[in-house]
Amino acid sequence: MEIVTARLRLDALRDEDADALFAYRADPAVARFQGWKPASVVDARRFIETQDGLAPDTPDTWWQRAIRLRDSGTLIGDLGLHFMDDKAVEVGISLAPAHQRRGYAREALEVMLDFVFGGLRKQRVKAFVDPRNFMCMRLLEGLGMRRRAPQNGDVMFELPAAEWLAAPDQGGDR
Ligand SMILES: CC(C)(COP(=O)(O)OP(=O)(O)OC[C@H]1O[C@@H](n2cnc3c(N)ncnc32)[C@H](O)[C@@H]1OP(=O)(O)O)[C@@H](O)C(=O)NCCC(=O)NCCS
């Protein structure tokens, strides 16, 4: 499955992405607040292999998408959907530092929220964020996600389907 936006292409991670994925995921600026950091390119390749043949909406799995520049195909990050149960999806996202601060994370998440709520008909999206991760919290709040009670030291963010679907301009300025 491939989703194209104004500037991005979201599709499957491929074996040849391992070097680039390792480079940004192992960067301390990206890994600092993340639960997983690849120890080597081999580790990054294994991570990509876990996605082989995995369909979206498989219970209790993370479905990872590559975030690429639409025109060049350059891998600039990845986005994961964790299918927690039949109603709730957790999201996670990482961008290579050189491609941050340009609105790419927001653009990728907007189209994924459309897919999760409009396509898969899920009822809520959640994110669990280290309370020191200001860039991530800013991103999620900008998308209309709300802070809920902390869980295991993380700030929980939540967005109900009704709020996303009722917004007059999905994917527009929020
Ligand atoms: C979390 C993370 C993905 C956010 O990335 P980001 O680059 O800040 O987010 P965006 O791509 O949406 O960029 C937003 C910024 O780009 C600016 N921007 C520039 N051009 C833009 C454009 N054309 N459209 C929209 N925004 C644009 C926005 O104004 C905004 O800056 P501001 O917050 O100062 O207003 C990134 O910090 C990251 O990868 N962190 C490490 C991994 C991590 O901790 N992930 C956990 C996430 S839950």
Tab-separated table of all heavy atoms in Angstrom, residues 138-163:
chain	number	residue	atom	x	y	z
A	138	ARG	N	4.450	19.013	20.699
A	138	ARG	CA	3.999	20.133	19.871
A	138	ARG	C	3.319	19.626	18.595
A	138	ARG	O	2.275	20.123	18.171
A	138	ARG	CB	5.239	20.942	19.523
A	138	ARG	CG	5.003	22.261	18.927
A	138	ARG	CD	6.326	22.978	19.012
A	138	ARG	NE	6.363	24.112	18.154
A	138	ARG	CZ	7.014	25.217	18.473
A	138	ARG	NH1	7.641	25.316	19.610
A	138	ARG	NH2	7.022	26.221	17.640
A	139	LEU	N	3.942	18.610	18.003
A	139	LEU	CA	3.391	18.006	16.786
A	139	LEU	C	1.995	17.422	17.046
A	139	LEU	O	1.048	17.672	16.300
A	139	LEU	CB	4.359	16.905	16.319
A	139	LEU	CG	3.909	15.968	15.218
A	139	LEU	CD1	3.861	16.708	13.886
A	139	LEU	CD2	4.865	14.771	15.103
A	140	LEU	N	1.876	16.640	18.127
A	140	LEU	CA	0.611	15.964	18.404
A	140	LEU	C	-0.486	16.964	18.770
A	140	LEU	O	-1.634	16.838	18.327
A	140	LEU	CB	0.797	14.935	19.526
A	140	LEU	CG	1.820	13.822	19.227
A	140	LEU	CD1	1.970	12.902	20.429
A	140	LEU	CD2	1.433	13.022	17.990
A	141	GLU	N	-0.127	17.971	19.555
A	141	GLU	CA	-1.122	18.990	19.919
A	141	GLU	C	-1.567	19.764	18.685
A	141	GLU	O	-2.739	20.105	18.554
A	141	GLU	CB	-0.555	19.923	20.989
A	141	GLU	CG	-0.662	19.264	22.358
A	141	GLU	CD	0.016	20.028	23.486
A	141	GLU	OE1	0.843	20.929	23.216
A	141	GLU	OE2	-0.273	19.698	24.648
A	142	GLY	N	-0.646	19.998	17.771
A	142	GLY	CA	-0.985	20.707	16.527
A	142	GLY	C	-1.978	19.928	15.677
A	142	GLY	O	-2.720	20.494	14.887
A	143	LEU	N	-1.980	18.622	15.860
A	143	LEU	CA	-2.916	17.769	15.111
A	143	LEU	C	-4.248	17.621	15.844
A	143	LEU	O	-5.146	16.930	15.363
A	143	LEU	CB	-2.297	16.384	14.903
A	143	LEU	CG	-1.187	16.337	13.845
A	143	LEU	CD1	-0.328	15.096	14.030
A	143	LEU	CD2	-1.786	16.362	12.443
A	144	GLY	N	-4.357	18.227	17.011
A	144	GLY	CA	-5.611	18.162	17.765
A	144	GLY	C	-5.652	17.053	18.791
A	144	GLY	O	-6.695	16.791	19.390
A	145	MET	N	-4.519	16.382	19.025
A	145	MET	CA	-4.499	15.318	20.039
A	145	MET	C	-4.453	15.975	21.425
A	145	MET	O	-3.840	17.024	21.602
A	145	MET	CB	-3.308	14.391	19.835
A	145	MET	CG	-3.407	13.620	18.528
A	145	MET	SD	-2.166	12.316	18.340
A	145	MET	CE	-2.785	11.043	19.449
A	146	ARG	N	-5.113	15.343	22.384
A	146	ARG	CA	-5.192	15.928	23.730
A	146	ARG	C	-4.408	15.118	24.742
A	146	ARG	O	-4.402	13.888	24.684
A	146	ARG	CB	-6.645	15.935	24.192
A	146	ARG	CG	-7.554	16.637	23.240
A	146	ARG	CD	-8.240	17.816	23.916
A	146	ARG	NE	-9.051	18.481	22.899
A	146	ARG	CZ	-10.345	18.289	22.780
A	146	ARG	NH1	-10.959	17.494	23.627
A	146	ARG	NH2	-11.014	18.911	21.839
A	147	ARG	N	-3.829	15.833	25.689
A	147	ARG	CA	-3.097	15.175	26.778
A	147	ARG	C	-4.059	14.510	27.730
A	147	ARG	O	-5.052	15.112	28.132
A	147	ARG	CB	-2.339	16.212	27.604
A	147	ARG	CG	-1.092	16.702	26.968
A	147	ARG	CD	-0.530	17.804	27.843
A	147	ARG	NE	0.423	18.564	27.080
A	147	ARG	CZ	1.699	18.715	27.440
A	147	ARG	NH1	2.132	18.216	28.573
A	147	ARG	NH2	2.511	19.405	26.696
A	148	ARG	N	-3.732	13.275	28.108
A	148	ARG	CA	-4.524	12.559	29.119
A	148	ARG	C	-3.605	12.251	30.300
A	148	ARG	O	-2.457	12.670	30.320
A	148	ARG	CB	-5.081	11.264	28.528
A	148	ARG	CG	-5.967	11.475	27.331
A	148	ARG	CD	-7.344	11.983	27.756
A	148	ARG	NE	-8.237	12.090	26.612
A	148	ARG	CZ	-8.952	13.176	26.320
A	148	ARG	NH1	-8.873	14.254	27.080
A	148	ARG	NH2	-9.750	13.188	25.280
A	149	ALA	N	-4.104	11.477	31.242
A	149	ALA	CA	-3.313	11.154	32.437
A	149	ALA	C	-2.030	10.428	32.035
A	149	ALA	O	-2.032	9.632	31.097
A	149	ALA	CB	-4.142	10.261	33.351
A	150	PRO	N	-0.933	10.709	32.740
A	150	PRO	CA	0.326	10.023	32.433
A	150	PRO	C	0.202	8.514	32.636
A	150	PRO	O	-0.574	8.065	33.468
A	150	PRO	CB	1.322	10.613	33.439
A	150	PRO	CG	0.659	11.791	34.051
A	150	PRO	CD	-0.810	11.629	33.883
A	151	GLN	N	0.970	7.757	31.861
A	151	GLN	CA	0.989	6.294	32.028
A	151	GLN	C	2.433	5.827	32.051
A	151	GLN	O	3.160	6.029	31.089
A	151	GLN	CB	0.247	5.619	30.867
A	151	GLN	CG	-1.244	5.694	31.011
A	151	GLN	CD	-1.957	4.672	30.130
A	151	GLN	OE1	-1.341	3.830	29.497
A	151	GLN	NE2	-3.267	4.763	30.114
A	152	ASN	N	2.830	5.221	33.150
A	152	ASN	CA	4.205	4.729	33.313
A	152	ASN	C	5.240	5.801	32.990
A	152	ASN	O	6.234	5.531	32.309
A	152	ASN	CB	4.453	3.500	32.432
A	152	ASN	CG	3.476	2.392	32.728
A	152	ASN	OD1	3.151	2.162	33.893
A	152	ASN	ND2	2.992	1.726	31.701
A	153	GLY	N	4.979	7.014	33.421
A	153	GLY	CA	5.950	8.093	33.230
A	153	GLY	C	5.820	8.810	31.893
A	153	GLY	O	6.424	9.854	31.693
A	154	ASP	N	5.063	8.245	30.937
A	154	ASP	CA	4.874	8.911	29.646
A	154	ASP	C	3.603	9.760	29.676
A	154	ASP	O	2.660	9.448	30.403
A	154	ASP	CB	4.706	7.872	28.525
A	154	ASP	CG	6.049	7.293	28.087
A	154	ASP	OD1	7.089	7.928	28.361
A	154	ASP	OD2	6.032	6.210	27.479
A	155	VAL	N	3.592	10.808	28.864
A	155	VAL	CA	2.365	11.576	28.690
A	155	VAL	C	1.543	10.843	27.624
A	155	VAL	O	2.078	10.495	26.566
A	155	VAL	CB	2.669	13.006	28.192
A	155	VAL	CG1	1.383	13.809	28.050
A	155	VAL	CG2	3.646	13.700	29.122
A	156	MET	N	0.265	10.597	27.927
A	156	MET	CA	-0.570	9.940	26.923
A	156	MET	C	-1.362	10.998	26.161
A	156	MET	O	-1.947	11.893	26.774
A	156	MET	CB	-1.532	8.946	27.551
A	156	MET	CG	-2.314	8.211	26.470
A	156	MET	SD	-3.320	6.873	27.089
A	156	MET	CE	-4.841	7.711	27.382
A	157	PHE	N	-1.342	10.887	24.851
A	157	PHE	CA	-2.148	11.760	23.988
A	157	PHE	C	-3.221	10.913	23.337
A	157	PHE	O	-2.995	9.737	23.015
A	157	PHE	CB	-1.276	12.397	22.896
A	157	PHE	CG	-0.454	13.546	23.383
A	157	PHE	CD1	0.730	13.320	24.071
A	157	PHE	CD2	-0.861	14.847	23.167
A	157	PHE	CE1	1.489	14.387	24.525
A	157	PHE	CE2	-0.109	15.918	23.621
A	157	PHE	CZ	1.074	15.687	24.310
A	158	GLU	N	-4.385	11.535	23.121
A	158	GLU	CA	-5.488	10.777	22.546
A	158	GLU	C	-6.290	11.649	21.583
A	158	GLU	O	-6.419	12.856	21.801
A	158	GLU	CB	-6.397	10.283	23.667
A	158	GLU	CG	-7.216	9.081	23.261
A	158	GLU	CD	-7.909	8.461	24.466
A	158	GLU	OE1	-8.511	9.211	25.242
A	158	GLU	OE2	-7.848	7.238	24.614
A	159	LEU	N	-6.788	11.010	20.556
A	159	LEU	CA	-7.662	11.696	19.591
A	159	LEU	C	-8.811	10.752	19.235
A	159	LEU	O	-8.581	9.682	18.674
A	159	LEU	CB	-6.862	12.046	18.322
A	159	LEU	CG	-7.610	12.737	17.189
A	159	LEU	CD1	-8.099	14.123	17.607
A	159	LEU	CD2	-6.721	12.865	15.955
A	160	PRO	N	-10.061	11.135	19.557
A	160	PRO	CA	-11.200	10.292	19.183
A	160	PRO	C	-11.567	10.484	17.713
A	160	PRO	O	-11.422	11.591	17.175
A	160	PRO	CB	-12.342	10.784	20.086
A	160	PRO	CG	-11.803	11.898	20.907
A	160	PRO	CD	-10.481	12.305	20.348
A	161	ALA	N	-12.063	9.439	17.099
A	161	ALA	CA	-12.422	9.489	15.670
A	161	ALA	C	-13.376	10.637	15.383
A	161	ALA	O	-13.216	11.356	14.388
A	161	ALA	CB	-13.063	8.164	15.263
A	162	ALA	N	-14.363	10.818	16.260
A	162	ALA	CA	-15.409	11.816	15.995
A	162	ALA	C	-14.786	13.200	15.817
A	162	ALA	O	-15.235	13.976	14.960
A	162	ALA	CB	-16.421	11.821	17.132
A	163	GLU	N	-13.759	13.504	16.590
A	163	GLU	CA	-13.147	14.840	16.489
A	163	GLU	C	-12.410	15.011	15.167
A	163	GLU	O	-12.473	16.060	14.538
A	163	GLU	CB	-12.178	15.075	17.656
A	163	GLU	CG	-12.926	15.356	18.934
A	163	GLU	CD	-12.018	15.728	20.092
A	163	GLU	OE1	-10.876	16.168	19.876
A	163	GLU	OE2	-12.469	15.550	21.229
